[in-house]
Short mmCIF file of all heavy atoms in Angstrom, two decimals:
data_model
loop_
_atom_site.label_atom_id
_atom_site.label_comp_id
_atom_site.label_asym_id
_atom_site.label_seq_id
_atom_site.Cartn_x
_atom_site.Cartn_y
_atom_site.Cartn_z
N VAL A 129 11.28 38.56 -34.62
CA VAL A 129 11.05 38.19 -36.01
C VAL A 129 10.88 36.69 -36.12
O VAL A 129 11.22 35.93 -35.25
CB VAL A 129 12.25 38.66 -36.89
CG1 VAL A 129 12.32 40.13 -36.92
CG2 VAL A 129 13.55 37.98 -36.50
N LEU A 130 10.33 36.26 -37.29
CA LEU A 130 10.11 34.82 -37.61
C LEU A 130 10.80 34.36 -38.80
O LEU A 130 10.96 35.14 -39.79
CB LEU A 130 8.58 34.54 -37.73
CG LEU A 130 7.76 34.74 -36.56
CD1 LEU A 130 6.24 34.44 -36.93
CD2 LEU A 130 8.15 33.80 -35.39
N PHE A 131 11.29 33.14 -38.83
CA PHE A 131 11.75 32.45 -39.96
C PHE A 131 10.91 31.19 -40.05
O PHE A 131 10.76 30.42 -39.10
CB PHE A 131 13.25 32.03 -39.80
CG PHE A 131 14.12 33.16 -39.49
CD1 PHE A 131 14.55 33.44 -38.18
CD2 PHE A 131 14.57 34.06 -40.51
CE1 PHE A 131 15.36 34.52 -37.94
CE2 PHE A 131 15.36 35.12 -40.23
CZ PHE A 131 15.80 35.37 -38.97
N VAL A 132 10.36 30.87 -41.25
CA VAL A 132 9.44 29.78 -41.48
C VAL A 132 9.78 28.99 -42.68
O VAL A 132 10.06 29.60 -43.76
CB VAL A 132 7.99 30.27 -41.51
CG1 VAL A 132 7.01 29.12 -41.75
CG2 VAL A 132 7.61 31.01 -40.28
N ALA A 133 9.72 27.70 -42.61
CA ALA A 133 9.97 26.87 -43.84
C ALA A 133 9.10 25.54 -43.69
O ALA A 133 8.95 24.99 -42.58
CB ALA A 133 11.41 26.48 -44.04
N LYS A 134 8.64 25.08 -44.84
CA LYS A 134 7.94 23.82 -44.85
C LYS A 134 9.01 22.74 -44.75
O LYS A 134 10.01 22.80 -45.41
CB LYS A 134 7.19 23.65 -46.16
CG LYS A 134 6.29 22.41 -46.18
CD LYS A 134 5.44 22.40 -47.44
CE LYS A 134 4.48 21.19 -47.42
NZ LYS A 134 3.63 21.17 -48.56
N VAL A 135 8.75 21.71 -43.91
CA VAL A 135 9.76 20.70 -43.66
C VAL A 135 9.13 19.31 -43.78
O VAL A 135 7.90 19.13 -43.75
CB VAL A 135 10.40 20.82 -42.25
CG1 VAL A 135 11.26 22.07 -42.17
CG2 VAL A 135 9.31 20.80 -41.14
N ARG A 136 9.97 18.31 -43.92
CA ARG A 136 9.60 16.93 -43.96
C ARG A 136 10.26 16.19 -42.83
O ARG A 136 11.53 16.41 -42.66
CB ARG A 136 9.95 16.35 -45.32
CG ARG A 136 9.46 15.02 -45.65
CD ARG A 136 9.68 14.51 -47.10
NE ARG A 136 10.63 15.25 -47.88
CZ ARG A 136 10.36 16.23 -48.76
NH1 ARG A 136 9.14 16.60 -49.03
NH2 ARG A 136 11.32 16.81 -49.48
N ARG A 137 9.55 15.39 -42.10
CA ARG A 137 10.18 14.68 -40.97
C ARG A 137 10.97 13.46 -41.46
O ARG A 137 10.56 12.75 -42.38
CB ARG A 137 9.11 14.19 -39.99
CG ARG A 137 8.34 15.29 -39.34
CD ARG A 137 7.17 14.75 -38.61
NE ARG A 137 6.32 15.82 -38.25
CZ ARG A 137 5.86 16.05 -36.99
NH1 ARG A 137 6.21 15.21 -35.97
NH2 ARG A 137 5.06 17.02 -36.75
N LEU A 138 12.14 13.24 -40.78
CA LEU A 138 12.94 12.10 -41.09
C LEU A 138 13.08 11.26 -39.80
O LEU A 138 14.09 11.33 -39.09
CB LEU A 138 14.33 12.60 -41.58
CG LEU A 138 14.42 13.46 -42.76
CD1 LEU A 138 15.79 13.98 -43.01
CD2 LEU A 138 13.86 12.76 -43.97
N GLY A 139 12.07 10.56 -39.42
CA GLY A 139 12.12 9.73 -38.24
C GLY A 139 11.36 10.42 -37.09
O GLY A 139 10.64 11.35 -37.24
N ALA A 140 11.54 9.88 -35.93
CA ALA A 140 10.80 10.26 -34.73
C ALA A 140 11.46 11.43 -33.98
O ALA A 140 10.92 11.96 -33.05
CB ALA A 140 10.60 9.10 -33.79
N GLY A 141 12.70 11.76 -34.37
CA GLY A 141 13.33 12.95 -33.79
C GLY A 141 14.17 12.64 -32.56
O GLY A 141 14.43 11.52 -32.33
N PRO A 142 14.63 13.63 -31.90
CA PRO A 142 14.35 15.09 -32.10
C PRO A 142 15.15 15.62 -33.29
O PRO A 142 16.09 15.02 -33.74
CB PRO A 142 14.81 15.77 -30.83
CG PRO A 142 15.92 14.85 -30.33
CD PRO A 142 15.54 13.43 -30.73
N ALA A 143 14.65 16.79 -33.80
CA ALA A 143 15.35 17.42 -34.86
C ALA A 143 16.43 18.34 -34.29
O ALA A 143 16.33 18.82 -33.17
CB ALA A 143 14.40 18.30 -35.72
N ARG A 144 17.48 18.60 -35.05
CA ARG A 144 18.53 19.51 -34.63
C ARG A 144 18.61 20.66 -35.64
O ARG A 144 18.80 20.42 -36.82
CB ARG A 144 19.88 18.73 -34.53
CG ARG A 144 21.04 19.62 -34.11
CD ARG A 144 22.30 18.80 -34.00
NE ARG A 144 23.51 19.55 -34.17
CZ ARG A 144 24.13 20.16 -33.12
NH1 ARG A 144 23.63 20.06 -31.93
NH2 ARG A 144 25.20 20.87 -33.33
N ILE A 145 18.47 21.83 -35.12
CA ILE A 145 18.51 23.08 -35.92
C ILE A 145 19.71 23.85 -35.56
O ILE A 145 20.02 24.04 -34.37
CB ILE A 145 17.24 23.92 -35.68
CG1 ILE A 145 15.94 23.16 -35.63
CG2 ILE A 145 17.18 25.15 -36.60
CD1 ILE A 145 15.61 22.39 -36.84
N THR A 146 20.47 24.30 -36.55
CA THR A 146 21.62 25.19 -36.26
C THR A 146 21.30 26.60 -36.74
O THR A 146 20.64 26.82 -37.77
CB THR A 146 22.92 24.72 -36.93
OG1 THR A 146 22.76 24.63 -38.34
CG2 THR A 146 23.30 23.32 -36.38
N VAL A 147 21.79 27.61 -36.00
CA VAL A 147 21.68 28.99 -36.41
C VAL A 147 23.01 29.58 -36.32
O VAL A 147 23.73 29.52 -35.30
CB VAL A 147 20.68 29.73 -35.47
CG1 VAL A 147 20.55 31.21 -35.91
CG2 VAL A 147 19.30 29.09 -35.41
N ARG A 148 23.45 30.22 -37.46
CA ARG A 148 24.76 30.88 -37.47
C ARG A 148 24.57 32.28 -38.06
O ARG A 148 23.66 32.49 -38.87
CB ARG A 148 25.71 30.08 -38.35
CG ARG A 148 26.14 28.77 -37.70
CD ARG A 148 27.27 28.09 -38.40
NE ARG A 148 27.74 26.94 -37.64
CZ ARG A 148 27.24 25.73 -37.65
NH1 ARG A 148 26.16 25.50 -38.38
NH2 ARG A 148 27.73 24.77 -36.93
N GLY A 149 25.44 33.17 -37.75
CA GLY A 149 25.40 34.55 -38.22
C GLY A 149 26.12 35.48 -37.33
O GLY A 149 27.13 35.04 -36.69
N GLN A 150 25.65 36.67 -37.23
CA GLN A 150 26.22 37.61 -36.30
C GLN A 150 25.18 38.59 -35.77
O GLN A 150 24.23 38.94 -36.46
CB GLN A 150 27.41 38.38 -36.91
CG GLN A 150 27.10 39.33 -38.05
CD GLN A 150 28.26 39.95 -38.62
OE1 GLN A 150 28.26 40.20 -39.82
NE2 GLN A 150 29.27 40.30 -37.90
#
Side-chain angles (χ1 to χ4, degrees):
V129 297
L130 293 177
F131 304 101
V132 178
K134 188 173 184 179
V135 293
R136 191 172 15 261
R137 296 173 193 231
L138 303 173
R144 180 178 155 87
I145 314 303
T146 59
V147 180
R148 291 192 172 83
Q150 66 184 143

